[in-house]
Amino acid sequence: MADLLKLKQQVEEFKSEYYNRNRQAEANRKEETQAAIRIQSWFRACRVRTYIRHLNKKAIIVQKAWRGFAARARVRQMVKAAYFTMKMNFYNDMAVRIQKTWRGFYYRKYIHYFYARKRYLQQILMKNELVRKELDEIEKAQTREKEYLEAIKEQKTKAYQAYRLHHLISTKKLPGVFNSPYRQTPHEMELLLRQVRYQVPTSMAHRDTGSLGGLCDSTGLSFSGSPQSQCTISTKTQELRTRLPPIATKKGKMTQAVHNR
């Protein structure tokens, strides 16, 4: 009986202790729950942060790989474009050289052929030389003709002057103005005066033409333009100079040629 009592007491003590513990646990349950929640949240936060950090590292690795791949692809594309541009520039330069050479050849061969142009210029030079010689000959001929006409005009002028100064001719008694005794040969005007034969004009209106006609008819001088007529006066003058010596004395004695005249 004593054992049963002790056992009952022990059971009662155990139940009271159990109830006390349950009440105490129930009283501390909220705090423990809050503590557990905190521990769990902290652990989960640590785990999530670790996972996120891991994901960030992997994302960085992926991004680094992708960016490297993209950069290398872009660089390869740029290298290809630069190589293509360089190759096209080289081809363009070669094409320009070929075109330049061909155009120069074609231009020189068919448009401005060098040797043909050289021959053309040589022919032009030869033709210019011939034309220049012809022009020189024409100029010389014109100069000779001008000199000839001037000589004829001068001879006509001298003949006309001699006709107008016929009264100054030397006579048998008195030497003329142009027949100075101090000259070895008579003056040219004196010779012209001796060739001219004075004719009295028929009218005052035709005085000049009549005197000119009489002059030309009387002297026998020809002014038609022939080469022989240019030297007529000079040849006759030379003949008269050889045939008529000058006056020997100062007192007015005439020469033998004047007496013969």
Side-chain angles (χ1 to χ4, degrees):
M1 291 293 290
D3 294 329
L4 291 173
L5 290 174
K6 287 181 180 180
L7 180 62
K8 287 181 179 179
Q9 289 179 357
Q10 289 179 359
V11 169
E12 290 293 335
E13 290 178 359
F14 178 78
K15 286 182 178 180
S16 62
E17 186 178 359
Y18 174 76
Y19 290 142
N20 290 329
R21 286 181 180 177
N22 285 334
R23 284 194 299 270
Q24 188 178 0
E26 185 67 26
N28 296 327
R29 185 175 62 83
K30 292 183 179 179
E31 295 180 0
E32 290 176 356
T33 303
Q34 293 294 327
I37 291 172
R38 288 179 183 177
I39 293 170
Q40 290 176 0
S41 64
W42 174 80
F43 177 76
R44 290 172 182 172
C46 290
R47 188 175 63 180
V48 169
R49 282 194 292 271
T50 303
Y51 181 69
I52 291 174
R53 193 179 298 114
H54 175 73
L55 290 179
N56 287 332
K57 289 181 180 180
K58 298 305 177 181
I60 289 171
I61 292 172
V62 172
Q63 291 176 359
K64 180 174 68 174
W66 169 251
R67 288 171 182 172
F69 172 76
R72 284 189 294 272
R74 187 169 61 252
V75 169
R76 281 194 297 269
Q77 189 68 26
M78 292 173 62
V79 169
K80 287 182 180 179
Y83 177 72
F84 179 77
T85 304
M86 182 178 66
K87 187 165 62 174
M88 290 303 296
N89 291 332
F90 176 75
Y91 289 159
N92 289 331
D93 292 338
M94 294 300 105
V96 168
R97 290 186 182 181
I98 294 170
Q99 291 174 2
K100 181 174 66 175
T101 305
W102 167 250
R103 287 171 182 171
F105 169 76
Y106 184 81
Y107 191 79
R108 291 189 296 270
K109 181 69 175 178
Y110 298 102
I111 298 178
H112 289 290
Y113 187 38
F114 173 73
Y115 296 101
R117 181 169 286 274
K118 185 177 180 180
R119 289 193 296 270
Y120 173 71
L121 293 176
Q122 289 177 355
Q123 292 175 2
I124 288 178
L125 289 175
M126 294 173 63
K127 188 174 180 180
N128 289 338
E129 290 294 332
L130 294 175
V131 171
R132 190 177 292 110
K133 289 181 180 179
E134 292 178 358
L135 291 176
D136 292 338
E137 292 178 357
I138 291 172
E139 184 180 3
K140 290 180 181 178
Q142 290 179 354
T143 304
R144 288 195 299 269
E145 184 179 1
K146 185 177 180 180
E147 292 177 354
Y148 174 69
L149 293 175
E150 289 179 355
I152 290 177
K153 184 177 180 181
E154 185 179 0
Q155 289 176 1
K156 286 183 178 181
T157 303
K158 289 182 179 179
Y160 183 73
Q161 289 178 358
Y163 175 76
R164 297 297 299 270
L165 300 175
H166 66 281
H167 56 279
L168 299 178
I169 192 172
S170 300
T171 60
K172 294 181 179 180
K173 298 296 182 179
L174 185 65
V177 176
F178 300 102
N179 193 9
S180 176
Y182 299 102
R183 295 175 60 90
Q184 295 181 359
T185 58
H187 194 268
E188 184 179 0
M189 185 59 71
E190 179 66 23
L191 301 177
L192 288 174
L193 290 173
R194 292 175 184 177
Q195 293 179 17
V196 174
R197 293 180 181 178
Y198 179 73
Q199 294 181 0
V200 179
T202 58
S203 63
M204 294 301 293
H206 301 284
R207 181 177 60 183
D208 295 336
T209 56
S211 62
L212 237 297
L215 174 63
C216 294
D217 294 337
S218 62
T219 55
L221 300 177
S222 176
F223 297 101
S224 61
S226 62
Q228 295 178 357
S229 63
Q230 186 177 1
C231 302
T232 305
I233 296 178
S234 61
T235 53
K236 289 188 177 182
T237 304
Q238 293 293 332
E239 290 177 359
L240 289 173
R241 283 182 179 177
T242 56
R243 193 172 59 186
L244 297 175
I247 299 174
T249 61
K250 190 177 180 181
K251 295 180 181 181
K253 293 182 180 180
M254 301 300 292
T255 58
Q256 185 178 359
V258 176
H259 289 291
N260 292 329
R261 181 175 174 276

